[in-house]
Amino acid sequence: MPKPRVDPITLAVVRGALETTQREMTLTLEKTARSSVFNVAHDYSNALFNHRAEMILQGQDIPIHLGGLMPAMKAVAAYFGDDIHEGDVIYHNDPVLMGSHILDCCMYKPIFHQGKLVFWSVCKGHVTDIGGPVPAGYNPAATEIYAEGLRIPPVKLWDKGRPRNDVIGFLLANVRSRRDWEGDLRAQFGAVSIGERNLLALLAKYGVSEVQSCVDELLDMAERAMRALFASIPDGSHEASAVLEDAGHGLGELRIGARVRIEGEHCHIRIDSPPQVPYFINSYAGNSHSGVYLGLMMFAKVAPPYNEGLYRCITLDLGPKGTLCNAAEPAPHVNCTTTPMETLADAVRLALEQAAPERAVGSWCHSSGINIAGRDRRNDEEYVTMVLASLIGGAGATAHLDGWNAVGPQCCFGALTSGDIELLEHQYPILIHRYGLVTDSGGAGKNRGGCATVWEVEPIDHAMTVISFGEGRHYPALGAQGASVEAAHAGCKLGRIERKQGDAVIEVLRKNTILTIAPGERVATVNPGGGGWGPALEREIGKVVHDVRNGYVSLAAAEREYGVIVDVERWTGRPAGARHPAPAPDFRESKA
């Protein structure tokens, strides 16, 4: 048996220090950022890289950021080559150079020790605005990337420790909600600086050689875990595809396919997608890495550590340039981090699940949300924000448990938070009328998909611009292992946008569009739920009673989808047509 390259206790300490550093970076952003997208919703991610630009630690953050950070870090390092110095801070969002989409702006800080590059501290976050014709950056009318907003190729914001106020001023002059943008920018600087401080302290204690040996071992640990997984699966090739919904702009439905070939400890993934389209759902290569890796990790479910070692035994072919999942300039793209990324992830996961059906899970909901903008009369300033609370849906069920309720869309995988209603109402001139779970939105199954949420808002004393984006409005989340949705009853599992006058619904929208909401009007986003697992008629009667009692499932759906008649006076249930009711277990949760 080979001798370990590092002492296991030292390895554990170094690993803990890396994880603590990443968490401290995250807390720094939460406590110092200005916009609600950062300090309420937590739409940001932090990661640490070694001197070879390999990700050595990813946080429990946003999958749409993390998978793409690996090719982005390499692109940024290659862009500057030898022109990287102590005190530099680099900024970047360009999807042509492996960025995800232009709203996800990333800050990279090289870390030097005794004159040598040893680490990178990296922070990516979704900014409130990126200029362009539409507030918050999502322009459903864009037919090319130039109509979406400001592209930032790798540029130094700090040069050898000196702030480039000319460059920072240029960026701020091109965005709305300048105070929020500047506050978030400085919060990112604080986060990467915390990463630098902690890693230098680690090097001072253990030395460069020992720390780098520990890092290499952590990369190898992740690699061994993924190789062991593929070695346990029979060799073979598998194919699957998933449908990208027609968003109402005449493009029709699009299909993304994945081909998976497993050979020993290796896996090759090939993506087939149609030609890129003149609509904002094209995905450039960096972002598509995130979609593929999310589908892979939903299938793999390997234990930590999570780092770039996981992907050493995987090769990836995104298909030819100029296609939907390997877009070429000037394809519009801003919606790509949700659509088509979530469909891409589904296709990859479904192909892998053919190799090992016992690992199948229900799909999480797809994103269907809104951005809002307007002028706040309290300070006569324009506000812009992506309302992350508006796209919180349900998780997919697994073989072992129901999908989580109100956990977020698939692209974020539970890392988003919706924040307190009062914080949003304080920060913006809005009144939130409703935020709660949607009955019957979870996919039916032996294990039920998670329920989605509804978020309803009204502007106060001003006309509010509302931009809708996403999908999940025509097809429900995919179930697994026999969980299915009858076409006649799929509507309650789908997302939609409701325009309201008071409590009355005056328009229902299932496409991406731009609305103007006047005072006295409201807009509600009803999100899709997660997919179920297993045949719904096999669900335990007591669980169905529990779901009805807590408002997750209606009486009608209990009978229609689960074949259970529920007695709401005694809280018991029986199979439809059975003579004797089955008592329900004593669940402590009660309907709010």
Side-chain angles (χ1 to χ4, degrees):
M1 185 173 181
K3 182 180 179 182
R5 73 173 79 184
V6 292
D7 172 68
I9 295 177
T10 304
L11 178 65
V13 172
V14 170
R15 178 177 175 178
L18 295 175
E19 293 170 349
T20 299
T21 295
Q22 188 279 331
R23 285 196 295 269
E24 191 172 353
M25 292 169 69
T26 294
L27 287 172
T28 298
L29 283 170
E30 178 183 356
K31 301 302 181 184
T32 63
R34 182 178 291 274
S35 77
S36 64
V37 177
F38 273 45
N39 60 32
V40 173
H42 297 177
D43 194 354
Y44 49 69
S45 299
N46 297 291
L48 302 173
F49 289 76
N50 63 14
H51 61 290
R52 298 188 296 267
E54 296 173 310
M55 182 189 283
I56 60 175
L57 181 81
Q58 68 177 47
Q60 296 182 23
D61 293 325
I62 310 291
I64 53 172
H65 296 163
L66 294 168
L69 271 179
M70 290 176 280
M73 177 74 260
K74 291 171 178 57
V76 168
Y79 187 91
F80 284 100
D82 294 333
D83 187 21
I84 297 172
H85 308 282
E86 187 170 357
D88 286 353
V89 175
I90 300 166
Y91 209 55
H92 164 245
N93 77 352
D94 191 353
V96 177
L97 290 169
M98 292 296 174
S100 49
H101 69 168
I102 55 174
L103 285 158
D104 286 336
C105 292
C106 195
M107 187 173 284
Y108 309 81
K109 186 172 179 58
I111 301 172
F112 286 79
H113 181 264
Q114 296 179 353
K116 292 185 178 181
L117 177 65
V118 286
F119 291 114
W120 290 83
S121 177
V122 179
C123 171
K124 175 180 279 191
H126 184 115
V127 296
T128 54
D129 186 72
I130 199 64
V134 175
Y138 285 75
N139 182 7
T143 58
E144 56 183 9
I145 195 171
Y146 312 116
E148 294 186 297
L150 185 65
R151 284 167 59 188
I152 309 169
V155 61
K156 292 184 181 181
L157 298 189
W158 275 260
D159 189 357
K160 298 179 182 178
R162 181 177 63 87
R164 293 285 309 277
N165 292 320
D166 54 344
V167 177
I168 295 172
F170 170 80
L171 297 176
L172 294 176
N174 280 278
V175 298
R176 304 168 181 87
S177 60
R178 175 173 177 148
R179 286 197 304 142
D180 280 0
W181 218 93
E182 184 174 12
D184 289 352
L185 181 71
R186 297 195 180 280
Q188 285 185 279
F189 179 70
V192 296
S193 298
I194 288 291
E196 178 185 43
R197 183 198 68 186
N198 288 10
L199 290 175
L200 288 176
L202 184 65
L203 294 173
K205 183 173 182 179
Y206 289 100
V208 173
S209 178
E210 187 76 359
V211 172
Q212 288 183 339
S213 293
C214 290
V215 166
D216 289 344
E217 178 61 21
L218 291 172
L219 289 165
D220 290 349
M221 286 172 61
E223 180 182 1
R224 290 194 295 269
M226 192 63 81
R227 286 183 180 276
L229 169 63
F230 288 123
S232 70
I233 299 172
D235 288 358
S237 296
H238 308 275
E239 297 183 23
S241 64
V243 174
L244 189 64
E245 297 176 359
D246 181 1
H249 291 264
L251 299 173
E253 295 179 345
L254 303 171
R255 185 171 289 274
I256 296 174
R259 302 179 187 181
V260 173
R261 186 176 71 251
I262 298 173
E263 296 177 345
E265 298 179 348
H266 298 269
C267 177
H268 177 70
I269 300 173
R270 155 83 186 206
I271 302 303
D272 295 305
S273 61
Q276 63 191 42
V277 295
Y279 186 55
F280 67 170
I281 58 172
N282 301 288
S283 180
Y284 288 80
N287 183 73
S288 292
H289 274 78
S290 290
V292 171
Y293 291 157
L294 173 57
L296 169 67
M297 293 302 289
M298 290 177 73
F299 167 81
K301 298 184 279 287
V302 294
Y306 299 133
N307 56 47
E308 195 159 338
L310 291 168
Y311 311 108
R312 287 174 173 171
C313 60
I314 296 161
T315 55
L316 174 59
D317 179 358
L318 294 174
K321 278 284 188 181
T323 51
L324 193 73
C325 293
N326 193 6
E329 190 176 14
H333 77 299
V334 164
N335 201 179
C336 70
T337 53
T338 61
T339 307
M341 200 208 79
E342 292 165 327
T343 306
L344 174 58
D346 279 337
V348 171
R349 176 179 56 81
L350 290 169
L352 287 165
E353 286 174 354
Q354 291 185 23
E358 70 279 2
R359 289 179 169 268
V361 297
S363 178
W364 287 42
C365 72
H366 286 202
S367 300
S368 173
I370 61 172
N371 299 325
I372 61 174
R375 182 160 291 275
D376 191 339
R377 295 187 177 182
R378 296 172 297 182
N379 53 20
D380 198 32
E381 290 185 1
E382 188 172 5
Y383 71 89
V384 180
T385 190
M386 182 183 189
V387 184
L388 277 307
S390 74
L391 47 77
I392 301 294
T398 73
H400 307 291
L401 75 164
D402 292 343
W404 296 316
N405 300 320
V407 73
Q410 183 163 295
C411 65
C412 301
F413 224 58
L416 287 180
T417 62
S418 56
D420 294 332
I421 295 297
E422 293 79 9
L423 287 176
L424 293 174
E425 290 180 329
H426 172 76
Q427 196 160 359
Y428 307 110
I430 59 175
L431 181 62
I432 300 171
H433 286 271
R434 218 174 12 145
Y435 185 48
L437 295 180
V438 180
T439 300
D440 293 337
S441 57
K446 181 177 181 179
N447 290 332
R448 175 182 48 77
C451 289
T453 65
V454 56
W455 192 84
E456 183 176 318
V457 64
E458 175 184 351
I460 298 175
D461 296 330
H462 74 291
M464 180 175 69
T465 300
V466 173
I467 306 101
S468 65
F469 62 94
E471 56 167 354
R473 303 171 190 144
H474 296 284
Y475 293 104
L478 299 172
Q481 298 292 71
S484 61
V485 179
E486 296 179 46
H489 304 297
C492 57
K493 318 295 182 188
L494 300 175
R496 61 187 182 275
I497 308 295
E498 295 179 348
R499 186 171 187 163
K500 306 178 73 174
Q501 187 75 49
D503 291 325
V505 177
I506 60 176
E507 187 178 13
V508 176
L509 299 167
R510 298 189 187 274
K511 67 178 182 179
N512 297 320
T513 189
I514 301 175
L515 304 171
T516 300
I517 304 298
E521 292 185 331
R522 307 176 191 173
V523 64
T525 58
V526 183
N527 288 294
W533 187 97
L537 294 180
E538 294 181 8
R539 185 164 177 82
E540 294 177 18
I541 290 178
K543 290 183 176 180
V544 177
V545 174
H546 169 260
D547 289 345
V548 172
R549 188 170 191 175
N550 286 278
Y552 305 147
V553 174
S554 66
L555 282 169
E559 182 172 0
R560 180 183 69 232
E561 298 180 358
Y562 295 97
V564 175
I565 298 173
V566 177
D567 183 337
V568 297
E569 293 184 358
R570 294 182 292 173
W571 289 115
T572 57
R574 61 180 174 85
R579 296 182 179 179
H580 302 291
D586 180 20
F587 290 99
R588 295 185 180 276
E589 186 178 4
S590 61
K591 185 175 178 180

